[in-house]
Amino acid sequence: MWELLWLSSPLLVLLFFLLPETSTDNILLRRAARLRILTGNPNFKSQSEIKQANMSAKQIAFDALIKPWEMNALDPAILFSTIYVALCYAIFYTFFEVFPLVFQGTYGFSLGISALAFISFPLGLMIAIPIQLCHFAYVVEPYLMKHGNPAPEFWLKVALVVNFLAPIGLFIFGKCLHFPLVPCRDH
């Protein structure tokens, strides 16, 4: 876990300072605050401030705690995508526990050598992130400039292509267990 903290901390600092704000409500909230300071007029308010001023604590708690469950219960597409993403995360985090067991137990790797299997995660990210950035630069951004905001399903097109990679990866990992690359050591 310390290694993950060391790797993610500089990235967090970079993202905090270099990633632009994209939330419309947040941008308008900051603009209204700047206008209040510049003009001294307290009447400049963003839509989110006006909306929040009329919300009770009960309404805020309902929106934060109950609304997501309501959306899952009422919309089968949201429920399916929630379950699928939860399954993918469960598989991903299970690998953190299984890699040492498999590579030490099945292949007889030492503790240090079995940790090298985790290099596959950053390598996969080094491949996936440039592809995703190119997709946004050459497909998504021109589409948004030409057509404006798309339907929510537009954002699932990439998922339709890459959702087959998780089962393929599991199949490869499972096949490697049946045909070890290195014979097991006798204990």
Side-chain angles (χ1 to χ4, degrees):
M1 295 307 255
W2 285 108
E3 291 86 1
L4 291 175
L5 179 68
W6 295 332
L7 291 171
S8 61
S9 296
L11 188 60
L12 173 67
V13 172
L14 280 173
L15 290 176
F16 184 78
F17 288 109
L18 300 178
L19 193 67
E21 179 62 62
T22 58
S23 168
T24 307
D25 290 339
N26 196 313
I27 292 170
L28 293 175
L29 176 72
R30 291 178 189 211
R31 182 179 292 170
R34 278 195 313 268
L35 286 173
R36 282 194 297 267
I37 292 170
L38 288 173
T39 63
N41 185 353
N43 293 329
F44 284 109
K45 295 198 186 284
S46 69
Q47 183 63 36
S48 62
E49 286 178 296
I50 296 167
K51 183 180 172 186
Q52 253 183 344
N54 299 326
M55 290 180 74
S56 66
K58 181 180 177 182
Q59 182 64 37
I60 294 171
F62 178 82
D63 285 351
L65 301 173
I66 306 299
K67 199 62 150 168
W69 293 102
E70 184 180 295
M71 290 169 57
N72 275 316
L74 297 177
D75 191 345
I78 293 175
L79 178 64
F80 175 76
S81 63
T82 301
I83 291 170
Y84 181 75
V85 169
L87 177 66
C88 287
Y89 272 115
I91 291 168
F92 180 70
Y93 287 112
T94 302
F95 273 116
F96 287 124
E97 295 295 323
V98 172
F99 270 22
L101 297 174
V102 169
F103 287 102
Q104 287 174 355
T106 303
Y107 297 127
F109 288 12
S110 70
L111 181 62
I113 298 296
S114 68
L116 292 175
F118 290 102
I119 290 177
S120 62
F121 293 113
L123 289 177
L125 287 171
M126 284 185 211
I127 294 168
I129 289 173
I131 292 171
Q132 184 69 13
L133 290 175
C134 289
H135 172 72
F136 274 117
Y138 298 116
V139 177
V140 173
E141 193 170 335
Y143 182 89
L144 293 176
M145 297 300 270
K146 186 175 180 183
H147 302 289
N149 284 337
E153 292 80 16
F154 172 82
W155 302 107
L156 295 175
K157 287 181 180 178
V158 175
L160 291 174
V161 175
V162 299
N163 70 8
F164 296 104
L165 297 178
I168 290 170
L170 288 171
F171 177 75
I172 292 170
F173 188 71
K175 279 296 185 188
C176 289
L177 290 177
H178 295 297
F179 303 105
L181 304 173
V182 178
C184 296
R185 279 194 247 169
D186 293 324
H187 298 286

